[in-house]
Amino acid sequence: MSHDILITGGSGYLGGTLLARMGTAGLPPYDKLYALVRTDEQATAVRQYGAEPLTINIQDEAAVRDAVLHHGISVVFYLVDPFFSTAQVHFIKALAEVKQTTGRDVHFLHTSGAKIFSSHAGAPIDRPLLDNDPQLYDIQKSQKAAIGFMQTPVETNNIVIEESKRHGVRSYIFVPCIVYGKGEGFGNPISIQTVAIVRAAKTMKRVYNVNVGVPTWPVCHIIDNTTLYIELLRKILSGDNPGYGKNGYYLASSGSVSWNDLYAAMATALAKRNVIEDDSVVAASDENIEEMAKALKCPQQFLPKEWVKMSIGGKCTFTAQRGYELGWKPQYAPNHIIEDADAEVELILQHLKD
């Protein structure tokens, strides 16, 4: 029995590129592809990728249940909100009913983020943290976030795994990192972290280093991030039993770079365009961070220092292994983000909305 698939977040950077690439990915047969939309314009846009638009209030459990059961959806790729777990649990419960009705395996992929496996969230940073570590679930359960609000998405990862197991749903925690390159979807074409560096630099007329030491962070080109989504979906559709639950963490990353190198490369590109005064990278003072927090639209409930460091700094030693076990082969080495910084800055400046 073939699967019916739902993709949420299709207007976003990650989800839009996934939708755009699915038709040419040579996936095993499936029945229907659905995409969650909010507007008529989005509905028209997703149809070009062969997806049928669905409009659901994902915070409404009954609405989610009705849509999933009515359309017989058995695979959900959730690319909307890594922080809160309410909607994910709605989908998991609905998928469990599809399994009970049809007898086939059902699958829920939650898109998390590398910050949730970093110094900001209390993850180990004294050694490589492998995404196929058999103790990774226990590590996440024991994490105490250094930045208080980061505890919520840590708990969300755990809730997705626990609720899925309780309801007989196969769960996957997909982890993007610093993703860069031009998105191919109909909506947002630019990333988050690289955009934050540019946004702060435009306001400050300089690139500032908000870290202590030389911390590193995993990186991934948008195309490689997308091919990992697709390879995991390929294994699901083929019935190849990819790792799931406590053994279902998937980091999309070809390796790590230092923030210092990324700051320097982007500063060079910004100075070349006279966006900043010069290409030097300076240690940020407390006063600088206060101003950067305003540029990065720090919510009132958060401390500026925490918000800025979480947006464009920190240390993450999370290391990809499990994707390679699927046969995933990234095209771009980690240092490509440094080499491509000029093009990345140009792309961001073209699309950045103040």
Side-chain angles (χ1 to χ4, degrees):
M1 186 180 294
S2 60
H3 287 284
D4 292 273
I5 305 165
L6 172 64
I7 307 292
T8 74
S11 64
Y13 178 59
L14 303 183
T17 307
L18 173 58
L19 274 178
R21 291 232 157 193
M22 280 187 63
T24 58
L27 288 167
Y30 55 88
D31 191 3
K32 286 187 178 180
L33 172 64
Y34 298 95
L36 188 70
V37 301
R38 297 186 302 274
T39 67
D40 291 341
E41 290 78 12
Q42 290 179 358
T44 299
V46 301
R47 288 190 178 98
Q48 69 183 296
Y49 307 121
E52 183 175 323
L54 287 183
T55 302
I56 313 168
N57 177 4
I58 62 174
Q59 301 302 319
D60 183 332
E61 183 172 2
V64 170
R65 178 183 181 275
D66 290 347
V68 170
L69 268 64
H70 177 74
H71 295 286
I73 293 166
S74 53
V75 177
V76 175
F77 271 35
Y78 188 88
L79 289 79
V80 179
D81 176 13
F83 268 76
F84 302 103
S85 61
T86 300
Q88 293 91 316
V89 174
H90 294 340
F91 278 109
I92 289 165
K93 289 180 178 178
L95 286 168
E97 289 197 53
V98 171
K99 180 179 181 179
Q100 186 175 23
T101 302
T102 65
R104 60 180 163 175
D105 287 326
V106 291
H107 306 263
F108 182 83
L109 179 145
H110 167 68
T111 300
S112 182
K115 289 183 178 69
I116 301 162
F117 299 83
S118 75
S119 56
H120 303 311
I125 55 171
D126 59 343
R127 64 186 188 277
L129 181 62
L130 305 183
D131 68 352
N132 66 351
D133 186 329
Q135 302 303 314
L136 188 52
Y137 167 78
D138 295 322
I139 291 170
Q140 285 254 284
K141 286 291 285 186
S142 67
Q143 283 179 216
K144 300 299 179 185
I147 297 177
F149 63 87
M150 288 301 296
Q151 193 66 39
T152 298
V154 173
E155 296 301 331
T156 291
N157 282 356
N158 299 333
I159 288 168
V160 166
I161 292 171
E162 293 158 4
E163 287 297 303
S164 294
K165 182 178 180 181
R166 187 159 74 91
H167 291 282
V169 175
R170 297 191 177 196
S171 66
Y172 311 89
I173 305 296
F174 188 98
V175 187
C177 49
I178 294 178
V179 186
Y180 69 100
K182 186 176 181 179
E184 296 181 346
F186 66 88
N188 179 30
I190 54 177
S191 184
I192 298 174
Q193 285 98 336
T194 54
V195 172
I197 294 173
V198 171
R199 190 183 295 278
K202 280 188 69 178
T203 296
M204 304 299 293
K205 303 303 180 185
R206 182 176 299 284
V207 174
Y208 284 94
N209 183 352
V210 302
N211 296 302
V212 175
V214 190
T216 58
W217 201 275
V219 297
C220 191
H221 194 277
I222 181 63
I223 301 307
D224 290 333
N225 187 89
T226 304
T227 57
L228 183 54
Y229 273 125
I230 288 172
E231 287 310 307
L232 183 51
L233 181 58
R234 188 187 312 279
K235 296 297 183 183
I236 290 170
L237 297 176
S238 299
D240 287 345
N241 196 33
Y244 62 91
K246 294 180 181 180
N247 296 306
Y249 297 89
Y250 294 84
L251 170 66
S253 173
S254 60
S256 296
V257 301
S258 75
W259 282 104
N260 290 6
D261 289 343
L262 184 57
Y263 293 150
M266 297 193 75
T268 297
L270 288 163
K272 173 182 172 181
R273 293 163 174 80
N274 297 315
V275 176
I276 59 177
E277 294 174 357
D278 60 61
D279 64 2
S280 60
V281 179
V282 178
S285 67
D286 289 344
E287 292 78 11
N288 296 147
I289 287 176
E290 289 282 345
E291 291 302 311
M292 293 168 74
K294 295 176 184 176
L296 297 175
K297 298 179 172 60
C298 176
Q300 290 184 349
Q301 64 267 37
F302 300 129
L303 297 175
K305 190 171 186 179
E306 292 181 342
W307 185 258
V308 171
K309 289 194 173 184
M310 189 194 73
S311 298
I312 54 173
K315 184 173 182 179
C316 179
T317 63
F318 206 28
T319 303
Q321 298 288 309
R322 201 174 294 279
Y324 293 100
E325 295 169 2
L326 295 181
W328 175 67
K329 296 178 181 178
Q331 298 179 41
Y332 298 95
N335 203 54
H336 182 261
I337 192 174
I338 308 302
E339 299 165 355
D340 201 49
D342 191 79
E344 181 75 2
V345 166
E346 181 64 27
L347 173 69
I348 292 168
L349 292 174
Q350 288 175 4
H351 295 277
L352 187 63
K353 298 177 181 178
D354 293 326

